[in-house]
Amino acid sequence: MAALALLFTCVAAAAPIKQVPEGGRAIPVVQKGIVCGPVGGGWSLSSDGRSVRPPSRDAGEFARTLDLKVAEEAEQCASSQEIVTVIATGAFPNIDAAGTTFFPDEGRIELKGQRLQDVPVAWSVPAKGEQEAAREGLDVCLNPSSGNRQECTVPLTPGLPSDATLYWVPPHGRRGPEVTTYDVNGTLVAPESFQIRPGRIVLTRPLVQSSGVDLSKGPGRVAISHPEAVASVDCAPARCELADGGIAIRNVPGGVEAQVTLRLRLVPRVLLARGDAFDTAVSVTLPVLACPLTAVEDTVLRDVAEPALVVRLGATCGHDPQGLLWTVNGERVEVGRVVKVPDGIYVLLRTEGTSARQLTISAASSPLERTVVASTTAKTLPLPYPRANLELPNHGAIDFIPTNRPALVQVAGSGAQGRFALHPIEGAYRVITKDNTTLVRGDTTAGGFVALRFGYRVPSLPGELASMDLALVDERVQRAVREASVPTNVANLIEFVCTGKDGVDQTIEPSSPYRIHFSMRHTCRVIIHRERLSPEEGIQEIVLRINVTKPDGSSRGESHVEQRMLLRPGGEARVIPIQGNLGQYDRIMVQVAHVADESRYALSATDRAGLPSAQWTALVQGGILRLYATGAVPAGLYRVTKPSGQLTLNFGVLSRLVLLNDEGQERLVGIEIGLMGLGLIPQSSDIHFPPTLALVGGLGLRVPIGTGAAVGVQAWIAHEFRGDITRNLKAGEDPDTTDLRVPSSKWSFMFGPSISIGNVGFNL
């Protein structure tokens, strides 16, 4: 649009422009001379050769803009360089000035009327001295509402003065000193006829731009955003007047409140928007700032007992803050500390506290005169309550104050610039500052509950004010003061000791198998070293388990120990012997683990793999061979020696000699000798093996399936103590004359599976 405005203002420098609505009557192009025809684009040349008629909208050949060559005589047309530009504009709009609203601050104008499509709106602001040059611009109504009464919002440059001159331009037309405009009847239109005088001019920016009246160097001055819109101003009992684009204020009476009320009346048609309402007059109360005075952000608090606040006097103020009479909301306050820096003088004021949402802070020259030399108003802020998190480094968050080790304190909720500093409470806890971190540790004699106390500070304050407390506040929750228990490595507290065969005690390492000489099996004991527990680790709650299992996997009950213990730092060592009559290849297992109690221990929030635990294992040494007796039930022995056959039910007692491994477990193959009852149930076959007692011997393979039970396969040589083996009578044989005995030897070889129960014997 800026380029469009430039075109409208500059293109006419080379040639005059004449514009008339399309379909209008003929207009004169030149007063003297002729138009060098012919003309095209729907334009028609009058018979006098000086006037042209614009084309109608429905003309076949339509040229909205046409450059015509003119000359004094027809003979000069070939050499003439004079050009007159004619424009066929759109129909003139009908603008309702009373319904039009101008928003100079927002940069827009709301038009109402008819035929608003493509109507440009131009604005101009004259120059104001040498500091501000003249300005102008133009924009177009593109999308008006439909209907007989149209509305259209045209954007303009924001921040225009309320008295900016506004013009409408015919659609597709131009504006400028070189432009001559005719109406549809061919009548010349005066340029002032295009000016728009809005029915309302609405200001949206605050009219008064100053936050106070500075009288430290003479008459005060208040800046206003639209001085041209102010008709009159009154500030009685002081005296004020419009001057140099602002308001000059004189004769302000002194007082504790130190305020001036400005009452401004606006010129006609100008309104000030206040929400959905519009005002024709404005009333603003401003503090008088004889010395520039501001309250430092985040230091003015409410609902706090005996707080302090910080104000800053301008560096140009020549008064000594210690000699001034300071008041807050009319109540006298004391000066706590003064710090002078290049950008001003910072003053800390001790107050009695307030619940008001706004404070008026004033400084008078003396208690007698009470001439206000500085004053300001400030909004109070509620003091944010601290939210502290306690954490044991490398162990996680806790909800109490430990007495045996320091805890890291992290505080939230201190506001934008303020910070909370932890304060010690005598008899409850003390504060430790180290490497820019804050630690807290409860007193060893303290007990019960206590709330952490914090001092509110603003570190951005200069000098010593940065470390001064503006208020004291307690945390809203109370915390227990007690000892912290940190899970320690139980392997450092528990020691499993056995005496070697040389008589020297051997400390068994966790998770490392250890072999105990059989003669020293009663020397093993567990030692609990409470003296190794440091006070920083606190009370440890552990479970000690001692289990002794026999070689067959059964538990030795008299040796079992399971105790839950509370270990306090210090004290003597406690010895727990391994009880019971231990045997060869007995396995001793010692297990120690923490009790999983989060209410006791401070556990890491990121590493929850489990509490520390430890385990020790020891094995009693024994022989390399085992001789024992067991009961065997071979379910289906097969007699290989002729006559061969299946022996259905068998039972007997065996002596077995096997080789043991390092764990005291017998190997698969062993030598077996014993007595066996064979063929206890008759077979349904041609051959009848009589039940017999046999002496057997050979090899057996056994696989344990439980305590004292095993399945196996045997290969035996047997000597049978039996009668004759007989056969069944065949068809046609005489039972009286036929011999049914089957020739057989008392010695036989047999094999087959069996189940054995029992293991009574000893190791060699």
Side-chain angles (χ1 to χ4, degrees):
M1 289 302 154
L4 184 60
L6 184 63
L7 176 64
F8 271 82
T9 56
C10 298
V11 72
I17 299 174
K18 297 179 181 292
Q19 55 189 14
V20 63
E22 57 193 13
R25 293 184 178 182
I27 61 172
V29 177
V30 292
Q31 297 297 328
K32 296 180 180 181
I34 62 171
V35 176
C36 300
V39 298
W43 293 80
S44 58
L45 183 62
S46 301
S47 58
D48 59 2
R50 298 178 180 176
S51 302
V52 294
R53 184 172 184 175
S56 61
R57 181 63 179 172
D58 54 357
E61 294 183 3
F62 186 90
R64 190 170 294 281
T65 302
L66 195 65
D67 291 335
L68 301 177
K69 183 185 291 187
V70 297
E72 293 183 2
E73 301 291 342
E75 293 78 7
Q76 298 177 359
C77 283
S79 60
S80 177
Q81 300 295 324
E82 295 185 25
I83 299 295
V84 175
T85 301
V86 292
I87 300 175
T89 69
F92 286 4
N94 182 13
I95 296 177
D96 180 8
T100 298
T101 305
F102 176 38
F103 296 85
D105 294 328
E106 298 179 4
R108 61 188 171 92
I109 184 171
E110 296 180 355
L111 300 177
K112 291 185 179 181
Q114 297 175 339
R115 299 183 297 279
L116 301 181
Q117 180 67 43
D118 298 327
V119 173
V121 175
W123 58 269
S124 63
V125 177
K128 294 182 180 180
E130 298 180 356
Q131 292 79 12
E132 186 175 349
R135 296 180 296 158
E136 59 183 11
L138 180 143
D139 214 313
V140 180
C141 170
L142 298 178
N143 297 302
S145 63
S146 59
N148 293 330
R149 182 177 174 83
Q150 296 179 325
E151 296 182 2
C152 185
T153 299
V154 181
L156 307 176
T157 299
L160 294 175
S162 62
D163 59 353
T165 305
L166 303 174
Y167 298 92
W168 64 269
V169 179
H172 311 293
R174 301 180 187 178
R175 177 181 176 273
E178 296 81 10
V179 178
T180 303
T181 305
Y182 298 86
D183 62 14
V184 70
N185 295 318
T187 303
L188 182 65
V189 181
E192 57 269 16
S193 301
F194 297 99
Q195 185 173 355
I196 301 175
R197 294 176 174 84
R200 294 191 310 172
I201 301 174
V202 179
L203 308 179
T204 55
R205 290 175 55 196
L207 193 59
V208 177
Q209 298 292 302
S210 299
S211 59
V213 181
D214 185 4
L215 302 176
S216 61
K217 298 179 180 179
R221 178 178 174 81
V222 175
I224 53 178
S225 58
H226 291 278
E228 76 285 349
V230 178
S232 63
V233 59
D234 176 55
C235 59
R239 191 183 73 179
C240 54
E241 58 186 6
L242 292 171
D244 298 330
I247 300 175
I249 301 177
R250 297 180 175 85
N251 300 337
V252 178
V256 175
E257 295 184 356
Q259 294 178 340
V260 172
T261 300
L262 299 178
R263 291 171 289 274
L264 292 80
R265 187 171 58 85
L266 303 180
V267 299
R269 297 186 299 115
V270 177
L271 304 173
L272 180 66
R274 181 173 51 84
D276 294 333
F278 299 97
D279 297 331
T280 59
V282 179
S283 179
V284 179
T285 300
L286 300 177
V288 175
L289 304 176
C291 284
L293 179 68
T294 56
V296 178
E297 187 178 359
D298 286 342
T299 67
V300 184
L301 307 173
R302 66 171 179 264
D303 299 327
V304 181
E306 298 183 356
L309 60 88
V310 180
V311 295
R312 182 176 65 86
L313 283 168
T316 58
C317 184
H319 297 275
D320 181 11
Q322 296 283 5
L324 296 176
L325 174 64
W326 292 89
T327 58
V328 175
N329 278 355
E331 299 292 332
R332 185 169 179 176
V333 296
E334 296 181 357
V335 176
R337 197 64 57 90
V338 176
V339 175
K340 296 183 179 181
V341 292
D343 68 334
I345 305 171
Y346 288 81
V347 184
L348 185 140
L349 303 176
R350 298 287 182 184
T351 71
E352 296 295 329
T354 182
S355 59
R357 295 184 175 273
Q358 182 169 292
L359 295 180
T360 299
I361 307 168
S362 301
S365 58
S366 68
L368 296 178
E369 296 181 3
R370 292 184 177 269
T371 301
V372 175
V373 298
S375 180
T376 188
T377 58
K379 291 183 178 180
T380 60
L381 299 176
L383 179 64
Y385 279 90
R387 300 188 298 274
N389 295 321
L390 301 187
E391 179 182 345
L392 290 181
N394 302 323
H395 294 286
I398 58 176
D399 57 358
F400 61 92
I401 301 174
T403 58
N404 58 330
R405 63 190 301 157
L408 179 65
V409 181
Q410 295 178 335
V411 188
S414 54
Q417 298 185 17
R419 298 292 182 269
F420 284 118
L422 183 62
H423 275 231
I425 297 180
E426 186 176 357
Y429 63 84
R430 62 183 184 273
V431 178
I432 305 168
T433 303
K434 182 180 180 181
D435 297 333
N436 294 327
T437 59
T438 301
L439 304 172
V440 62
R441 181 169 181 171
D443 290 348
T444 55
T445 58
F449 295 82
V450 68
L452 295 177
R453 179 167 297 171
F454 294 89
Y456 179 75
R457 302 173 181 177
V458 178
S460 60
L461 292 175
E464 55 189 323
L465 295 180
S467 59
M468 297 192 67
D469 296 323
L470 302 182
L472 292 178
V473 60
D474 291 337
E475 195 180 14
R476 288 191 171 183
V477 298
Q478 291 189 330
R479 303 174 186 268
V481 183
R482 63 176 176 86
E483 186 179 71
S485 295
V486 176
T488 186
N489 186 359
V490 291
N492 297 331
L493 302 179
I494 307 301
E495 190 175 18
F496 185 26
V497 179
C498 294
T499 303
K501 62 181 180 179
D502 54 359
V504 179
D505 286 344
Q506 301 290 330
T507 300
I508 301 174
E509 297 295 330
S511 304
S512 297
Y514 180 78
R515 304 186 73 84
I516 306 170
H517 195 271
F518 181 74
S519 61
M520 297 296 178
R521 64 189 183 280
H522 298 303
T523 63
C524 294
R525 67 260 187 208
V526 175
I527 304 176
I528 302 175
H529 293 280
R530 290 179 292 181
E531 74 280 1
R532 296 180 181 176
L533 189 61
S534 65
E536 289 77 11
E537 294 170 322
I539 298 175
Q540 306 292 307
E541 186 173 3
I542 65 171
V543 174
L544 172 65
R545 296 184 182 90
I546 302 176
N547 289 312
V548 178
T549 55
K550 301 176 183 179
D552 60 0
S554 62
S555 176
R556 194 176 293 278
E558 68 273 16
S559 302
H560 179 74
V561 174
E562 182 168 347
Q563 292 187 11
R564 187 166 179 168
M565 305 177 183
L566 285 177
L567 304 182
R568 298 182 180 276
E572 298 179 354
R574 178 183 174 186
V575 180
I576 302 177
I578 306 299
Q579 301 179 358
N581 187 20
L582 303 183
Q584 295 184 17
Y585 293 109
D586 278 1
R587 181 180 297 274
I588 304 172
M589 181 174 292
V590 179
Q591 295 175 316
V592 181
H594 283 278
V595 177
D597 185 1
E598 292 193 8
S599 64
R600 176 179 301 279
Y601 292 114
L603 302 178
S604 173
T606 57
D607 184 11
R608 294 296 182 93
L611 293 172
S613 60
Q615 177 175 297
W616 295 263
T617 304
L619 186 70
V620 179
Q621 291 181 343
I624 61 174
L625 296 174
R626 180 169 179 77
L627 178 62
Y628 65 94
T630 183
V633 184
L637 282 176
Y638 185 79
R639 190 177 190 273
V640 179
T641 305
K642 292 184 179 181
S644 61
Q646 188 79 26
L647 303 178
T648 304
L649 178 63
N650 313 283
F651 176 78
V653 178
L654 297 175
S655 294
R656 181 176 170 87
L657 180 66
V658 295
L659 186 66
L660 301 178
N661 61 14
D662 292 340
E663 301 294 326
Q665 299 172 346
E666 61 180 81
R667 300 188 184 274
L668 295 179
V669 180
I671 301 173
E672 298 176 342
I673 300 175
L675 291 175
M676 186 67 59
L678 303 176
L680 301 180
I681 296 178
Q683 302 90 338
S684 58
S685 64
D686 293 341
I687 304 299
H688 295 282
F689 292 97
T692 183
L693 182 67
L695 177 66
V696 299
L699 298 178
L701 183 147
R702 297 180 74 230
V703 178
I705 60 174
T707 303
V711 295
V713 177
Q714 292 80 25
W716 294 330
I717 296 176
H719 180 71
E720 304 167 357
F721 303 99
R722 58 171 172 77
D724 294 331
I725 300 174
T726 62
R727 62 179 178 82
N728 292 329
L729 186 66
K730 297 180 180 180
E733 291 181 337
D734 186 358
D736 296 331
T737 60
T738 303
D739 186 6
L740 299 178
R741 291 179 300 173
V742 178
S744 61
S745 172
K746 300 292 184 177
W747 293 90
S748 64
F749 175 73
M750 58 187 66
F751 71 91
S754 68
I755 299 175
S756 59
I757 301 173
N759 190 327
V760 181
F762 53 89
N763 296 339
L764 302 175

Short mmCIF file of all heavy atoms in Angstrom, two decimals, residues 478-497:
data_model
loop_
_atom_site.label_atom_id
_atom_site.label_comp_id
_atom_site.label_asym_id
_atom_site.label_seq_id
_atom_site.Cartn_x
_atom_site.Cartn_y
_atom_site.Cartn_z
N GLN A 478 5.69 -29.54 58.82
CA GLN A 478 6.69 -29.83 59.84
C GLN A 478 7.34 -31.17 59.54
O GLN A 478 6.68 -32.10 59.07
CB GLN A 478 6.05 -29.83 61.23
CG GLN A 478 5.61 -28.46 61.70
CD GLN A 478 5.18 -28.46 63.15
OE1 GLN A 478 4.69 -29.46 63.66
NE2 GLN A 478 5.35 -27.34 63.82
N ARG A 479 8.61 -31.24 59.84
CA ARG A 479 9.38 -32.44 59.55
C ARG A 479 9.91 -33.04 60.84
O ARG A 479 10.27 -32.31 61.77
CB ARG A 479 10.55 -32.13 58.61
CG ARG A 479 10.11 -31.49 57.29
CD ARG A 479 11.32 -31.07 56.48
NE ARG A 479 10.93 -30.32 55.27
CZ ARG A 479 10.71 -30.89 54.09
NH1 ARG A 479 10.83 -32.20 53.97
NH2 ARG A 479 10.36 -30.16 53.05
N ALA A 480 9.95 -34.36 60.86
CA ALA A 480 10.52 -35.04 62.01
C ALA A 480 12.03 -34.82 62.05
O ALA A 480 12.70 -34.72 61.01
CB ALA A 480 10.21 -36.53 61.95
N VAL A 481 12.57 -34.73 63.25
CA VAL A 481 14.02 -34.63 63.45
C VAL A 481 14.46 -35.97 64.04
O VAL A 481 14.15 -36.29 65.20
CB VAL A 481 14.39 -33.47 64.38
CG1 VAL A 481 15.90 -33.35 64.51
CG2 VAL A 481 13.81 -32.16 63.85
N ARG A 482 15.15 -36.76 63.25
CA ARG A 482 15.55 -38.09 63.70
C ARG A 482 16.78 -38.54 62.94
O ARG A 482 17.26 -37.85 62.03
CB ARG A 482 14.42 -39.09 63.51
CG ARG A 482 14.00 -39.33 62.06
CD ARG A 482 12.95 -40.41 61.98
NE ARG A 482 12.44 -40.62 60.64
CZ ARG A 482 13.01 -41.43 59.75
NH1 ARG A 482 14.14 -42.07 60.05
NH2 ARG A 482 12.46 -41.59 58.54
N GLU A 483 17.23 -39.71 63.32
CA GLU A 483 18.42 -40.28 62.70
C GLU A 483 18.08 -40.83 61.32
O GLU A 483 17.00 -41.39 61.10
CB GLU A 483 18.97 -41.40 63.58
CG GLU A 483 20.28 -41.99 63.12
CD GLU A 483 20.76 -43.08 64.06
OE1 GLU A 483 20.15 -44.16 64.07
OE2 GLU A 483 21.72 -42.85 64.82
N ALA A 484 18.99 -40.67 60.38
CA ALA A 484 18.82 -41.21 59.03
C ALA A 484 19.54 -42.54 58.92
O ALA A 484 20.68 -42.69 59.37
CB ALA A 484 19.37 -40.24 57.98
N SER A 485 18.84 -43.51 58.37
CA SER A 485 19.44 -44.82 58.14
C SER A 485 19.70 -44.98 56.65
O SER A 485 18.77 -44.90 55.84
CB SER A 485 18.52 -45.93 58.64
OG SER A 485 18.37 -45.85 60.04
N VAL A 486 20.96 -45.19 56.31
CA VAL A 486 21.36 -45.39 54.92
C VAL A 486 21.82 -46.83 54.76
O VAL A 486 22.68 -47.29 55.52
CB VAL A 486 22.50 -44.43 54.53
CG1 VAL A 486 22.96 -44.70 53.12
CG2 VAL A 486 22.03 -42.99 54.67
N PRO A 487 21.22 -47.58 53.86
CA PRO A 487 21.61 -48.99 53.71
C PRO A 487 23.10 -49.12 53.43
O PRO A 487 23.62 -48.59 52.45
CB PRO A 487 20.78 -49.47 52.52
CG PRO A 487 19.66 -48.50 52.40
CD PRO A 487 20.18 -47.20 52.89
N THR A 488 23.79 -49.80 54.33
CA THR A 488 25.22 -50.00 54.16
C THR A 488 25.48 -51.36 53.55
O THR A 488 24.58 -52.21 53.47
CB THR A 488 25.94 -49.89 55.52
OG1 THR A 488 27.35 -49.95 55.31
CG2 THR A 488 25.51 -51.02 56.45
N ASN A 489 26.69 -51.60 53.16
CA ASN A 489 27.08 -52.90 52.61
C ASN A 489 27.21 -53.88 53.76
O ASN A 489 28.14 -53.80 54.57
CB ASN A 489 28.39 -52.77 51.85
CG ASN A 489 28.77 -54.04 51.12
OD1 ASN A 489 28.06 -55.05 51.20
ND2 ASN A 489 29.89 -54.02 50.42
N VAL A 490 26.24 -54.80 53.86
CA VAL A 490 26.23 -55.72 55.01
C VAL A 490 27.44 -56.63 55.02
O VAL A 490 27.79 -57.18 56.07
CB VAL A 490 24.93 -56.54 55.00
CG1 VAL A 490 23.73 -55.69 55.31
CG2 VAL A 490 24.74 -57.25 53.67
N ALA A 491 28.10 -56.81 53.89
CA ALA A 491 29.30 -57.65 53.88
C ALA A 491 30.40 -57.06 54.73
O ALA A 491 31.31 -57.79 55.16
CB ALA A 491 29.79 -57.85 52.44
N ASN A 492 30.33 -55.73 55.00
CA ASN A 492 31.34 -55.11 55.86
C ASN A 492 31.01 -55.29 57.33
O ASN A 492 31.88 -55.11 58.19
CB ASN A 492 31.45 -53.62 55.54
CG ASN A 492 31.93 -53.38 54.13
OD1 ASN A 492 32.67 -54.19 53.58
ND2 ASN A 492 31.52 -52.27 53.54
N LEU A 493 29.74 -55.62 57.64
CA LEU A 493 29.33 -55.77 59.03
C LEU A 493 29.35 -57.22 59.50
O LEU A 493 29.50 -57.49 60.69
CB LEU A 493 27.92 -55.20 59.22
CG LEU A 493 27.70 -53.73 58.84
CD1 LEU A 493 26.24 -53.35 59.06
CD2 LEU A 493 28.61 -52.82 59.64
N ILE A 494 29.17 -58.14 58.58
CA ILE A 494 29.06 -59.56 58.92
C ILE A 494 30.33 -60.28 58.47
O ILE A 494 30.82 -60.07 57.36
CB ILE A 494 27.82 -60.19 58.26
CG1 ILE A 494 26.56 -59.38 58.60
CG2 ILE A 494 27.65 -61.63 58.70
CD1 ILE A 494 26.27 -59.26 60.07
N GLU A 495 30.84 -61.15 59.36
CA GLU A 495 32.05 -61.92 59.06
C GLU A 495 31.77 -63.39 59.37
O GLU A 495 31.29 -63.73 60.45
CB GLU A 495 33.22 -61.41 59.89
CG GLU A 495 34.56 -61.98 59.47
CD GLU A 495 35.71 -61.35 60.26
OE1 GLU A 495 35.45 -60.75 61.32
OE2 GLU A 495 36.85 -61.47 59.80
N PHE A 496 32.03 -64.25 58.39
CA PHE A 496 31.88 -65.70 58.55
C PHE A 496 33.28 -66.29 58.68
O PHE A 496 34.09 -66.20 57.76
CB PHE A 496 31.13 -66.27 57.35
CG PHE A 496 30.82 -67.73 57.45
CD1 PHE A 496 30.69 -68.37 58.67
CD2 PHE A 496 30.63 -68.50 56.31
CE1 PHE A 496 30.38 -69.71 58.77
CE2 PHE A 496 30.32 -69.84 56.38
CZ PHE A 496 30.21 -70.45 57.62
N VAL A 497 33.55 -66.91 59.85
CA VAL A 497 34.91 -67.37 60.19
C VAL A 497 34.87 -68.85 60.52
O VAL A 497 33.97 -69.32 61.26
CB VAL A 497 35.48 -66.57 61.38
CG1 VAL A 497 36.88 -67.06 61.72
CG2 VAL A 497 35.52 -65.08 61.04
#
